[in-house]
Amino acid sequence: MSDREAAVRVYVKAYNTESGLFVAACDEDVLGLRLVDESRGINFYVDPSFFKGEVLDVDKAVKVLRKASMANIVGNSIVGRAVSEGLVREDTVLVVNGVKVAMFVTL
């Protein structure tokens, strides 16, 4: 983990569903942002009621994501780490206003 990653805090909220563990995770600095790109028809709100859970460092957040069967991930640090850990493919990451957004489902 880099020094920058060590300083990053991630909100992680877990939901137990019939389909398995669903995790919402976002970098602390993107919580509450509305990511809009009208040219692509994107309007994504990083809703605190959905994402704001336990505050963890990036390493601990990745450990929770590894247990998930589904996840929504927002923020350059946590999405970048999810890619480097093989949880998300780089070519599936959406970038809106410079902020990375990713989702995954395991079968």
Side-chain angles (χ1 to χ4, degrees):
M1 175 169 48
S2 70
D3 289 340
R4 185 187 176 308
E5 277 187 331
V8 173
R9 295 173 4 139
V10 179
Y11 284 109
V12 177
K13 194 168 185 179
Y15 299 87
N16 288 306
T17 72
E18 290 181 15
S19 301
L21 183 66
F22 179 86
V23 174
C26 73
D27 292 355
E28 187 176 40
D29 65 339
V30 301
L31 186 73
L33 291 183
R34 182 169 299 279
L35 307 174
V36 178
D37 183 334
E38 291 181 11
S39 69
R40 295 188 287 171
I42 299 169
N43 186 337
F44 186 89
Y45 179 50
V46 189
D47 191 337
S49 67
F50 181 72
F51 284 94
K52 190 174 184 180
E54 188 175 3
V55 178
L56 303 174
D57 65 30
V58 174
D59 282 339
K60 290 179 183 167
V62 167
K63 286 180 183 177
V64 175
L65 287 170
R66 287 194 176 284
K67 297 175 187 175
S69 53
M70 300 167 283
N72 282 358
I73 314 166
V74 183
N76 296 338
S77 293
I78 191 60
V79 172
R81 188 64 181 279
V83 169
S84 69
E85 295 285 331
L87 296 169
V88 174
R89 288 189 358 233
E90 181 73 41
D91 64 336
T92 66
V93 174
L94 179 67
V95 179
V96 184
N97 296 0
V99 178
K100 294 179 180 180
V101 179
M103 298 172 195
F104 72 78
V105 175
T106 58
L107 303 174

